[in-house]
Amino acid sequence: MPITLVNPLDETSRENRNAASKLDTLKGKTVGLLDISKPGGSVFLDRLETLLRERYGVASVVRAMKPTFTKPAPESVIEQILAARCDAVIEALAD
């Protein structure tokens, strides 16, 4: 049986960008946690927040949530994360 690979992106053309620089440490940093609003996402992010603070010395965590997982984050959610000047952002995908 042949294997079929499917590109998960839509047909929208995108600008090529370089990846963000890797952080040397999370200690003292601000990390944004984006919940895409799938079931279980907040449970996962609660635990992740605890681990980030306890194990990695993250200074602050900014939590944001999309209103629905079926659409891209609205500008207001993106602005919330940008306004917090996060050093890193983690997006939670869970069920």
Side-chain angles (χ1 to χ4, degrees):
M1 176 177 216
I3 296 174
T4 302
L5 299 177
V6 179
N7 184 343
L9 300 175
D10 61 19
E11 300 298 321
T12 306
S13 62
R14 291 173 173 77
E15 172 184 333
N16 287 335
R17 295 183 181 189
N18 294 327
S21 300
K22 182 179 175 183
L23 296 174
D24 292 330
T25 182
L26 290 175
K27 187 173 184 172
K29 304 292 186 194
T30 297
V31 175
L33 299 179
L34 177 59
D35 188 336
I36 70 163
S37 73
K38 287 196 95 177
S42 62
V43 175
F44 170 72
L45 288 177
D46 290 344
R47 180 67 180 137
L48 183 58
E49 179 175 352
T50 299
L51 292 173
L52 287 169
R53 291 178 187 276
E54 291 176 356
R55 291 188 186 175
Y56 300 100
V58 167
S60 63
V61 173
V62 175
R63 300 281 291 259
M65 181 181 234
K66 288 175 42 176
T68 178
F69 66 86
T70 61
K71 296 180 182 176
E75 199 64 36
S76 60
V77 173
I78 295 168
E79 288 298 325
Q80 177 187 352
I81 292 170
L82 289 173
R85 302 186 52 85
C86 297
D87 298 291
V89 177
I90 299 169
E91 182 176 0
L93 307 173
D95 267 328

